[in-house]
Amino acid sequence: MVAFTKGHGTGNDFVIIADPDGEIELSAEQVAALCDRHFGIGADGVLRVVRSAALPEGAAALAEEPAAEWFMDYRNADGSIAEMCGNGVRVFVHYLVRAGLATIEPGTTLPIGTRAGVRDVTSSANGYQVDLGRWRLSGDDPLAKARGLEVARPGLGIDVGNPHVVVALASEEELAGLELEYIPELDPTPAGGANVEFVVPGEPLVRDGIGHVTMRVFERGVGETLSCGTGVAATALAVRHWAGAAAPDNWRVDVPGGTLGVRMFPAEDGEHVALSGPAQLVYSGTVDLI
Ligand SMILES: N[C@H](CCC[C@H](N)C(=O)O)C(=O)O
């Protein structure tokens, strides 16, 4: 039996397993069993909470300034490993704070180790803000086909530590008509796959200097989720890219599970993108690992 806590960020839900000394080896099958919504707890992913010192890949997280004492071992619902989870890192930090394992005061930063590198988290008015780091156009711009979409649409590849393909749709009706119980088809398929976001620009796109979009997402290794933090950031970046230089650096993104904030800002190593939003813990329990 292992102790777990269930948490979510705008409906993107996770099984949190505290393993500070890195004693629990989670297999892909065990993760898939935990995430199964009928035979397990049910979640979009697993967050294993482990001290960086207890992990081989955690060494890099300790080498940075400031060192990241904690490492987020994120897994997708199918058991696959992904580099980064934007909603997940907010839930991860919220768990650390509520469990008394870390503190985060207004104006202070808590560095968290991830497979995409150390990510800085701060408290914010709507919960937490995570600096997802430097973003880039991935160059993987496939054609996207989806059930319920009349014609294939061009996608824009965006990397925010993990891979995304963002597809612009013409209307909320088109967005609602997508049958995302079926995996979208990307042609060509990026090596390693990608999370696929479908977006409708707000009418108007910019209100009071803030960009507004609505989106849905099919997550790599999961399926359609109510929210995907890195996907929300990638979507705002893609829409701003399409809108051109006059587009704002602050965005509000509506997802089925709620609303998240995105902000682009200059940093020493290039432009960064930050994601802000809520994090909730729902319940705790114990579970038999298969
Ligand atoms: N839900 C996560 C994204 C997980 C990405 C994962 N599905 C992948 O394979 O990259 C988020 O909030 O950013």
Side-chain angles (χ1 to χ4, degrees), residues 145-163:
K145 296 175 189 164
R147 294 277 288 259
L149 197 56
E150 291 292 308
V151 293
R153 292 287 168 80
L156 180 64
I158 301 263
D159 185 296
V160 287
N162 60 348

Side-chain angles (χ1 to χ4, degrees), residues 63-114:
E64 294 211 13
E65 276 302 321
E69 181 185 358
W70 294 98
F71 188 93
M72 178 180 76
D73 175 9
Y74 169 76
R75 313 293 180 88
N76 282 324
D78 69 353
S80 60
I81 286 178
E83 305 84 350
M84 187 55 201
C85 183
N87 287 322
V89 77
R90 298 197 319 274
V91 174
F92 184 92
V93 167
H94 192 51
Y95 173 81
L96 288 177
V97 170
R98 291 282 298 278
L101 296 171
T103 58
I104 186 164
E105 306 300 332
T108 63
T109 295
L110 184 63
I112 301 296
T114 79

Side-chain angles (χ1 to χ4, degrees), residues 2 18-26 48-51 54-55 289:
V2 294
D19 181 21
D21 300 326
E23 293 160 335
I24 301 174
E25 287 286 319
L26 282 178
R48 188 164 68 101
V49 182
V50 55
R51 289 189 197 283
L55 269 185
L289 286 181

